[in-house]
């Protein structure tokens, strides 16, 4: 690990004053479950580490206007156990539960989940975020069984590692980003971006900004997350789907279906949304929507199976949402 | 000659009773100190700079900047300019420093230039390995061509099992301390008695001047016998660092790249049989890699060795990846997988229950009656006859259930072992031998044997192991430890007790051979009225302690230990055919054994083996990247291992019978791991109706098999 300056601010204002103007100058430390690994592997070599765990205003889950406001340093375990989240947002509860190690849920934060770096094994082995070699990515001709099946025309082929991202996109949530010069709210859907070069990131956060809170609209929806994970113990999903359904009686007024772990960002499946409008959720309509969700998939040499897994995840998430209530 | 025979089964008071590990509380509370826990004052930390390329030549190496870094005490070049490196992770240089962080910073300041050379890192497709495959000669038995022509049924399949890593929780490494011209050596090893000699050879140093100590080891599985290059480096570094002790343990990635792995095995297999299931012919074309140095030739057909007509071809493929080491039952899991998969495919084609097929062909094995009885027992525990269904006939829902079967065999026996038993005039008893407890319960079984022989409770025995000043005992490999240490301990304690009998016989008015040690007393046989307490008896020794040796004679174990076991394993799985995810419902291991000293740790060995095999069946695989030559999952994240919830219900049946007891002690470390992957693969095929040809049985492979694609 490269030596660094450690800062321990008590307020958001203090914290943002300590951030850098370029990536690599300062890293934010929240749960640290991945940050420390990144630093030990020299994938991140920040000059300064800004610990935000002592900033009280970053914690807590409460109603604020028509939203549920979730502080950035709320742990995944707090999120999962929160009564309001359980009641209104089973999809978030289920997504947090899918982070299948109690240790990580106890330490990892919701902000950290959204800002975490990809797990792509080329990136983690020091081949760079886009795994470029001699001007082309190693991924299409390489070991890509865990890589993207959507949004993979390059140069990025990794999948977004965020567990909460798909659910938050489906629920129409926003994140609040604060810098020394002010703050802005960004739809979670726009927060995730596909980097076009090695210097950029997979989120819209700027180096001088801090993600402070998440605002989830309390509009009633039937929502659910289904993850296909091979292991019960700690494991990354092979594919996931989050759905949020606004119902009119027993039929779907509008639907948001968002796939996870299949693209460099959470991947909205608009064709599935359209397929569901005006329909009741049955095994047949769920299957049709699931097929529509993966219709445009472009699998790589080793990950065709993920198309099937994404399809199953959509179908099961829809049936789960229809069974549950919000 | 004293009678060393094990006491008759019904009269045993300690042996044969399920006994908790004596070191359990130390381990569970963290009081047990592993070599990697050592942190004496002044300790320096060393780390290895390893090669990032799979095949390269070192063209230059400049350590000057690292040497100048404050806190660095020594830098050693391991692979000087000109060295050809054959796998990623190869040791290039080592640095010692006052902290681990400084050592890691320092290795990043060593400037190495490489000429990168072409590599081959994958062997699963034999047609793509170029000239890296070396064919062994064809072996033919009988007349396979004629036998296949005359067979009623033939089945052909291809099967594969990848290279996997040992995944020792405690990585390889050691602390080395120089004390004048002596070395204090604290390795993580399966071989406390022998590893000092190995280090001495590399250092051209007097082995008598190396004092090796280790009380606990965090896993070895066959990979921790030698001093290794990192051990030798760790011994050199203190000399250059003002004599301070140095600790060098591999990091996880390097551990997985260079500290050992299990060879792969792939094969195309054809089996011919009569309509009634009798196997008449076998033909196989197999290949495997054990890294650059070869290794890995599975003995197939496995267990069913007496198939009358056979043709075998095998190629060893050299790949630019770390070398193999023994992995729990070397070559057997691969052989069991290749053989039992082919036999299950044959059973499916014959529409035969594989239990019946294995039973039918038991005559082709070396222990037909043992396997027949085990098949019956396993089927009973699994409720096989009622629950088994023909391949693929698993109902209409997306989740399919299936059952599979596999078979194992292993030697065991007892390794060379010497033991000393001291009985002191104050009644204390010491049992001393330089063995090691890999976590298998060796401490406990040695103490049980001593307590049994001396008629004392476990707590009355002080056991000393893990120190090279003690009488030597073999490395723990090949399932030979329990046989070796129990025999030497039995002999040492019988010999010591004989001396005690001689000392107290006059005061009991009897001959020494009329005495026995029972329940903490020395008494005339069968007459507790004529007795002395253990303490009173020992006081008769006056000022002299008894110190007697016992030696396991490997050529004549005198019935104390023997070798040769068989076992069967059965798996019950559920496969979600929409996701390809396999879950273990139940796993049954029926294991042949000899005399069981501690049923609890014996059973625990089998639980552990089943869990290890389940990991291999469902998750474990070394992923090599053709373009970069890197092992992409040299970590604990994408090199997947099971958690508790992934394991299912494991049922162990040990054949503890008077008949088996007569064979003496037989090791159980390896046999129960052998058939696990095979039985799970067969259960998956039974569940989903098609063979998933390659392990591990991951969702991509299961779905590909279901769709009829090659996986």
């Amino acid at each position: 690990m490269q030596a660094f300056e450690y800062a321990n601010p008590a307020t958001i204002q203090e914290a943002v004053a300590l951030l850098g103007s370029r990536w690599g100058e300062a890293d934010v430390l929240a749960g640290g479950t991945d940050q420390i690994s990144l630093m030990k592997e020299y994938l991140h070599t920040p000059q300064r580490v800004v610990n935000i765990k002592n900033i009280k205003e970053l914690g807590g889950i409460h109603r604020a206007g028509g939203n549920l406001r979730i502080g950035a340093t709320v742990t995944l375990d707090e999120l999962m156990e929160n009564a309001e989240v359980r009641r209104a947002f089973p999809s978030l509860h289920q997504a947090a539960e899918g982070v299948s190690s109690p240790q990580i849920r106890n330490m990892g934060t919701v902000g950290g989940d959204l800002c975490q770096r990809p797990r792509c094994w080329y990136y983690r082995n020091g081949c760079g975020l886009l795994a470029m070699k001699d001007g082309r990515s190693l991924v299409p001709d390489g070991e890509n069984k865990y890589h993207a099946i959507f949004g993979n025309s390059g140069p990025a082929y990794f999948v977004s590692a965020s567990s909460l991202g798909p659910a938050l996109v489906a629920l129409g949530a926003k994140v609040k980003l604060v810098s020394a010069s002010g703050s802005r709210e960004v739809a979670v859907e726009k927060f995730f971006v596909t980097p076009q070069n090695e210097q950029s990131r997979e989120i819209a956060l700027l180096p001088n900004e801090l993600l402070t809170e998440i605002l989830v609209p309390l509009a009633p929806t039937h929502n659910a997350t289904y993850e296909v994970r091979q292991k019960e113990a700690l494991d990354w999903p092979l594919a996931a789907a989050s759905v949020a359904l606004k119902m009119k009686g027993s039929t779907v007024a509008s639907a948001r279906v968002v796939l996870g772990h299949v693209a460099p960002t959470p991947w909205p499946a608009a064709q599935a949304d359209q397929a569901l409008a005006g329909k009741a959720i049955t095994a047949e309509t769920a299957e049709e929507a699931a097929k529509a969700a993966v219709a445009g998939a472009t699998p790589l040499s080793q990950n065709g199976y993920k198309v099937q897994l994404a399809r199953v995840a959509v179908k099961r998430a829809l049936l789960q949402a229809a069974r549950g209530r919000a | 000659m004293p009678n060393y025979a094990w006491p008759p089964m019904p009269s045993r008071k300690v042996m044969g009773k399920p006994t908790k590990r004596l070191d359990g509380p130390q381990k569970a509370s963290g009081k047990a100190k592993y070599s990697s826990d050592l942190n004496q004052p002044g300790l320096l930390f060393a780390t290895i700079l390893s090669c990032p390329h799979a095949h390269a030549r070192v063209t230059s190496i400049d350590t000057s900047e690292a040497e100048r870094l404050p806190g660095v005490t020594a830098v050693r070049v391991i692979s000087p300019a000109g060295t050809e490196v054959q796998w990623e992770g190869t040791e290039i240089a080592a640095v010692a420093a006052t902290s681990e962080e400084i050592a890691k910073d320092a290795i990043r300041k060593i400037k190495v230039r490489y000429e990168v050379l072409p590599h081959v890192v994958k062997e699963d497709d034999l047609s793509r390995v170029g000239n890296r495959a070396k064919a062994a000669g064809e072996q033919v038995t009988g007349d396979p061509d004629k036998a296949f022509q005359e067979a009623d049924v033939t089945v052909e399949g291809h099967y594969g099992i990848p290279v996997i890593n040992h995944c020792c929780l405690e990585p390889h490494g050691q602390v080395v301390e120089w004390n004048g011209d002596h070395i204090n050596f604290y390795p993580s090893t399966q071989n406390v008695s022998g590893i000092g000699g190995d280090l001495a050879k590399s250092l051209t140093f007097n082995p008598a001047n190396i004092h090796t100590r280790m009380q606990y080891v965090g896993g070895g599985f066959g990979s921790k016998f030698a001093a290794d290059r990192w051990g030798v480096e760790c011994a050199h570094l203190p000399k250059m660092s003002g004599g301070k002790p140095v600790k060098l343990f591999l990091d996880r990635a390097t551990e997985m790249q260079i500290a050992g792995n299990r060879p792969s095995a792939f094969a195309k297999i054809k089996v011919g049989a009569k309509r009634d299931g009798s196997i008449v012919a076998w033909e196989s074309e197999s290949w495997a890699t054990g890294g650059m140095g070869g290794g890995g030739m599975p003995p197939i057909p496995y267990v069913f060795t007496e198939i009358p007509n056979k043709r075998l071809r095998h190629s060893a493929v050299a790949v630019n990846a770390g070398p193999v080491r023994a992995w729990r039952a070397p070559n057997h899991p691969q052989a069991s997988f290749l053989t039992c998969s082919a036999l299950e495919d044959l059973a499916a084609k014959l529409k035969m229950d594989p239990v019946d097929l294995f039973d039918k062909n038991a005559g082709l094995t070396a222990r037909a009656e043992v396997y027949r009885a085990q098949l019956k027992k396993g089927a009973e525990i699994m409720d096989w006859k009622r629950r088994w269904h023909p391949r693929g006939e698993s109902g209409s829902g997306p989740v399919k259930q299936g059952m599979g079967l596999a078979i194992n065999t292993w030697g065991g026996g007892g390794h060379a072992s010497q033991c000393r038993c001291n009985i002191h005039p104050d009644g204390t008893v010491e049992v001393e031998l330089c063995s090691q407890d890999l976590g298998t319960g060796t401490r406990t079984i040695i103490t049980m044997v001593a307590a049994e022989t001396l008629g004392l409770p476990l707590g009355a025995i002080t056991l000393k192991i893990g120190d090279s000043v003690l009488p030597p005992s073999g490395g723990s490999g090949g399932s030979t430890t329990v046989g070796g240490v129990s025999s030497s301990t039995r002999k040492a304690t019988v010999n010591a007790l004989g001396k005690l009998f001689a000392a107290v016989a006059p005061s009991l008015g009897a001959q020494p051979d009329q005495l026995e040690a029972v329940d903490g007393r020395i008494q005339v046989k069968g007459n507790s009225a004529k007795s002395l307490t253990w303490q009173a008896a020992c006081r008769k020794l006056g000022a002299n302690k008894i110190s007697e040796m016992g030696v396991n004679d490997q050529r004549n174990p005198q019935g104390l230990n023997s070798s040769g076991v068989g076992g069967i394993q059965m798996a019950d799985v559920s496969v979600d055919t929409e996701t390809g995810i396999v879950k273990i419902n139940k796993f049954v291991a029926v294991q042949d054994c000899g005399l069981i000293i501690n049923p609890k740790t014996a059973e625990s060995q089998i639980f552990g083996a089943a869990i290890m095999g389940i990991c291999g069946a469902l998750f474990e695989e070394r992923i090599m990247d053709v373009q970069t030559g890197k092992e992409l999952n040299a970590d604990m994240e994408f090199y997947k291992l099971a958690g508790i919830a992934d394991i299912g219900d494991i049922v162990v049946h040990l054949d503890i019978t008077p008949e088996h007891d007569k064979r003496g002690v037989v090791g159980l470390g390896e046999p129960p791991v052998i058939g696990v992957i095979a039985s799970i693969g067969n259960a998956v095929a039974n569940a989903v109706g098609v063979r998933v040809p390659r392990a591990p049985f991951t969702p991509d492979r299961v779905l590909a098999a279901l769709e009829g694609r090659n996986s």
Side-chain angles (χ1 to χ4, degrees):
Chain A
M1 190 181 295
Q2 183 176 285
F4 54 86
E5 176 192 311
Y6 183 69
N8 204 5
T11 66
I12 291 174
Q13 287 318 310
E14 281 175 35
V16 294
L18 290 160
L19 298 178
S21 56
R22 280 190 299 274
W23 291 119
E25 290 178 1
D27 271 6
V28 169
L29 176 69
T33 57
D34 190 32
Q35 178 65 29
I36 306 300
S37 311
L38 289 165
M39 290 167 64
K40 284 176 81 170
E41 298 295 330
Y42 293 86
L43 294 169
H44 276 212
T45 51
Q47 292 152 26
R48 178 186 292 155
V49 171
V50 181
N51 174 35
I52 60 167
K53 286 195 297 290
N54 292 322
I55 303 175
K56 287 205 174 60
E57 46 194 321
L58 293 178
I61 301 176
H62 57 79
R63 282 171 174 254
N67 293 313
L68 190 68
R69 181 260 180 211
I70 302 168
T73 59
V74 165
T75 66
L76 295 169
D77 186 67
E78 287 175 277
L79 179 77
M80 196 173 96
E81 297 302 334
N82 182 273
E84 190 77 21
V85 170
R86 279 174 177 268
R87 186 194 63 77
F89 307 121
S91 64
L92 276 180
H93 169 84
Q94 290 149 1
E97 195 175 29
V99 182
S100 46
S101 137
Q103 294 88 338
I104 290 180
R105 289 199 300 264
N106 285 336
M107 291 301 293
T109 64
V110 295
D113 176 82
L114 297 180
C115 295
Q116 69 185 302
R117 307 305 313 275
R119 313 304 307 191
C120 165
W121 47 27
Y122 289 100
Y123 169 56
R124 297 279 167 165
N125 272 289
C127 300
L129 178 62
L130 303 174
M132 301 301 275
K133 190 183 178 197
D134 305 329
R136 48 198 294 268
S137 171
L138 292 164
V139 177
D141 296 326
E143 294 297 323
N144 53 42
K145 71 187 268 188
Y146 298 128
H147 284 81
I149 54 169
F150 286 100
N152 58 0
S153 54
Y157 294 90
F158 60 80
V159 297
S160 166
S162 174
S163 291
L164 305 178
L168 291 170
V169 173
L171 293 166
K174 290 177 181 171
V175 288
K176 187 174 176 188
L177 310 178
V178 177
S179 70
S181 56
S183 73
R184 57 182 180 135
E185 284 181 7
V186 176
V188 175
E189 188 172 352
K190 305 277 183 207
F191 179 72
F192 292 100
V193 294
T194 302
Q196 295 303 316
N197 57 56
E198 201 60 49
Q199 286 70 44
S200 53
R201 287 281 171 103
E202 54 286 346
I203 50 176
L205 187 86
L206 297 173
N208 65 348
E209 288 179 319
L210 186 66
L211 191 160
T212 59
E213 62 190 43
I214 299 154
L215 299 162
V216 193
L218 280 159
T221 59
H222 285 225
N223 59 75
T225 295
Y226 188 91
E227 293 185 344
V228 181
R229 259 181 289 114
Q230 193 194 358
K231 283 165 52 178
E232 299 288 330
L234 178 64
D235 200 7
W236 294 98
L238 297 166
S242 289
V243 301
L245 309 172
K246 289 199 174 97
M247 303 299 288
K248 191 175 175 190
S250 61
T251 60
V252 174
S254 67
R256 284 309 307 272
V257 176
V258 183
L259 303 175
H261 302 273
V262 296
T265 66
W267 193 256
Q271 283 166 297
D273 302 349
Q274 287 150 23
L276 290 163
K279 308 247 175 74
I281 301 290
T282 64
E284 290 71 31
T285 57
E287 180 65 46
E288 272 171 43
K291 274 187 195 153
V294 298
T298 51
L300 304 169
S301 56
Q302 297 176 342
N303 66 6
Y305 75 106
K306 287 185 65 166
V307 179
Q308 159 79 2
L309 299 188
R311 189 168 69 83
V312 172
V314 170
K315 183 178 77 175
R316 294 185 183 181
L318 285 168
L319 295 173
Q320 198 168 300
R323 277 197 304 273
R325 38 155 239 101
Chain B
M1 195 170 80
N3 177 15
Y4 296 122
W6 294 114
M9 212 174 168
S11 68
R12 288 176 206 155
K13 306 223 164 169
V14 182
M15 288 167 59
K17 306 286 180 288
T19 304
K20 288 181 187 166
R21 284 176 176 77
L22 298 176
D23 53 9
Q26 280 74 29
K27 287 189 169 180
S29 64
K31 285 183 185 145
K33 292 298 171 211
Y34 294 73
S35 296
S36 54
D37 289 327
L38 293 178
N39 199 4
Q40 57 261 60
L43 184 66
L44 301 174
F45 297 85
T47 193
I48 296 274
L49 171 65
S50 64
C51 179
H53 306 292
H55 189 195
R57 186 172 289 108
V58 178
T59 56
S60 71
I61 179 162
D62 175 2
T63 59
S64 55
E65 204 183 324
E67 284 163 30
R68 285 198 298 271
L69 193 71
V72 170
T73 59
V75 179
R76 278 179 56 84
V77 172
I78 304 171
S79 302
T83 306
E84 185 177 348
V85 172
Q86 294 281 12
W87 55 82
E88 184 196 16
T90 299
E91 305 90 328
I92 302 296
V95 170
T98 51
S99 78
E100 200 174 341
E101 291 75 15
I102 293 172
K104 288 200 165 156
D105 283 345
I107 60 167
R108 291 174 64 82
K109 295 192 183 297
I110 298 174
K111 295 185 186 74
V112 190
R113 287 211 176 90
Y114 297 97
E115 177 195 353
V116 177
L117 302 170
H119 58 248
V120 172
V121 294
K122 281 181 104 135
E123 79 294 3
D124 55 335
D125 184 346
L126 197 55
S127 70
R128 294 178 65 181
V129 302
N131 61 1
R132 293 297 189 89
K134 269 205 192 100
E138 184 176 271
Q139 293 176 53
V140 178
T141 310
D143 188 344
D145 295 331
K146 184 160 171 276
F148 275 113
Q149 270 169 16
E150 291 171 7
D152 295 324
V153 178
T154 59
V155 63
E156 288 181 66
H158 66 95
Y159 313 94
I161 189 168
V163 171
I164 67 174
N165 283 115
H166 291 73
C167 297
C168 306
L169 202 53
E170 182 189 35
H172 288 66
Q174 61 287 305
V175 172
V176 176
E177 184 176 52
W178 283 80
N179 183 6
D181 59 352
H182 282 63
I183 289 175
N184 290 325
F185 184 26
Y186 304 94
S188 175
T189 186
Q190 298 174 239
N191 186 16
V192 180
S193 283
I195 194 171
D198 191 45
L199 179 66
K201 213 183 297 167
S202 301
L203 296 175
T204 43
F205 188 77
N206 180 1
N209 289 351
I210 298 180
H211 185 180
T212 308
R213 277 165 281 186
M214 184 202 74
Q215 286 303 306
Y216 300 95
V217 55
F221 312 110
S223 69
K224 287 184 179 167
F225 290 103
D228 288 313
R229 203 184 269 190
W230 45 83
V232 175
E233 288 304 313
C234 192
H236 283 301
L237 288 166
K239 283 255 155 180
M240 302 163 68
S241 305
K244 286 182 175 167
V246 173
K247 179 177 187 174
L248 196 172
F249 276 80
L250 300 183
D251 61 26
R252 183 56 58 184
T254 313
E255 169 79 12
M256 296 183 81
Q257 288 160 353
I258 66 173
N261 58 68
R262 182 175 87 179
S264 61
F266 298 87
K268 290 175 195 156
I269 298 171
K270 187 165 135 186
V271 185
K274 291 188 197 154
R275 185 83 51 211
D276 69 356
S278 311
I279 301 168
V280 294
W282 169 283
E283 188 173 276
S284 57
E285 166 111 41
S286 56
W287 69 99
T289 191
M292 278 310 282
M297 185 164 167
I300 50 176
Y302 184 64
V303 176
F304 298 93
T305 48
E306 301 307 311
I307 295 174
N309 305 288
K310 289 176 285 202
R311 177 179 289 113
L312 308 176
R313 285 188 290 266
H314 181 80
S315 299
V317 183
V319 302
N320 297 97
V324 292
R325 293 185 176 205
W327 190 105
R328 208 168 182 173
N331 287 321
H332 285 233
Q334 299 96 316
S336 182
F337 172 72
L338 296 176
T339 304
C340 296
S341 300
L343 296 196
E344 158 82 21
D345 285 350
L346 174 67
K349 190 155 184 186
L350 286 162
K351 301 201 183 309
M352 209 174 160
D353 180 338
V355 170
D356 296 335
L357 183 91
F358 277 54
D359 187 274
K360 179 91 199 164
N361 290 288
L364 301 174
T365 74
R367 38 178 65 79
E369 290 320 306
V370 170
Y371 289 126
R372 285 202 173 107
Q374 291 177 336
L375 287 165
K376 200 169 158 210
K377 187 73 202 174
E380 181 189 311
I381 298 170
M382 206 47 129
D383 198 9
W384 181 286
K385 287 291 165 189
R386 191 180 66 78
R387 297 182 57 238
W388 182 82
H389 56 73
R391 182 179 282 192
E393 293 179 18
S394 359
S396 55
V399 177
K400 313 286 190 192
Q401 178 272 339
M403 297 201 294
L405 161 70
I407 199 160
N408 72 52
T409 186
W410 190 253
H415 63 197
S417 178
Q418 299 182 27
C419 175
R420 181 165 52 227
C421 175
N422 303 321
I423 301 176
H424 294 270
D426 66 355
T428 55
V429 178
E430 287 156 349
V431 172
E432 304 177 328
L433 69 171
C434 186
S435 187
Q436 50 279 318
D437 189 333
L438 306 192
T440 50
T442 304
R443 269 192 182 83
T444 312
I445 62 100
I446 295 170
T447 309
M448 289 172 78
V449 167
E452 180 75 46
T453 308
L454 302 175
L456 293 171
L458 292 171
I461 312 292
T462 301
L463 174 64
K464 293 182 183 169
I465 62 168
D467 187 324
S468 61
V469 301
L470 302 172
S473 204
S476 288
S479 307
T480 58
T481 304
V482 67
V485 301
S486 63
S487 300
S488 63
T489 303
R490 174 68 178 168
K491 288 181 161 181
T493 48
V494 166
N495 290 343
L497 187 62
K499 290 275 154 111
L500 183 62
F501 286 165
V504 303
S507 55
L508 288 169
Q511 293 300 310
D513 62 1
Q514 293 175 308
L515 301 182
E516 63 180 355
V518 180
D519 296 336
R521 304 183 77 83
I522 304 296
Q523 64 182 30
V524 175
K525 279 178 188 168
N527 181 2
S528 59
K530 289 184 81 175
S531 72
L532 286 169
T533 66
W534 178 264
Q535 256 67 27
C538 292
R539 277 197 294 274
K540 303 279 181 200
L541 296 172
N544 302 318
K545 72 170 180 183
I546 294 168
S547 187
E548 286 295 309
M549 295 295 295
V551 179
N552 177 39
D553 182 349
Q554 287 183 284
R555 280 166 304 182
N556 177 20
Q558 295 165 276
L560 291 171
N561 66 72
S562 66
S563 67
V565 290
I568 61 117
Q569 282 132 324
M570 290 175 167
D572 175 340
V573 307
S574 287
V575 185
D576 183 334
T577 53
E578 292 186 337
T579 62
I581 293 174
V582 178
K583 300 280 181 203
I584 309 296
N585 301 320
K586 186 172 180 178
F587 186 84
V588 172
V590 179
Q591 191 59 50
D592 176 20
C593 56
L595 181 156
I596 293 293
I597 296 168
N598 185 359
K600 192 181 192 79
T601 49
E603 192 183 53
S604 172
Q605 277 276 59
I606 302 174
F607 283 136
I611 292 166
M612 207 164 176
I614 288 168
C615 290
L618 301 186
F619 307 119
E620 287 186 76
E621 178 175 20
R622 183 180 76 180
I623 309 268
M624 300 300 297
D625 181 52
V626 167
Q627 297 169 94
T628 60
K630 285 183 175 298
E631 180 174 349
L632 288 174
N633 61 343
D635 55 44
M636 297 265 97
E637 179 177 7
F638 287 108
Y639 189 98
K640 299 186 184 190
L641 293 169
I644 289 168
D646 296 303
I647 288 161
D649 183 21
I650 302 173
V651 180
V652 171
H653 176 81
L654 273 168
D655 281 342
I656 302 178
T657 62
E659 193 190 335
H660 284 139
D661 196 87
K662 285 182 199 144
R663 301 163 65 192
V665 177
V666 186
L668 273 178
E670 8 250 304
V673 84
I674 292 168
V676 187
I677 298 177
S679 63
I680 293 171
N682 285 343
V684 170
N686 179 249
V688 302
V690 291
R691 167 65 52 188
V692 181
R694 288 194 176 171
F697 312 113
T698 49
D700 52 332
R701 293 197 174 96
V702 173
L703 291 176
L706 282 167
E707 288 169 21
R709 286 188 279 118
N710 286 330
S711 61

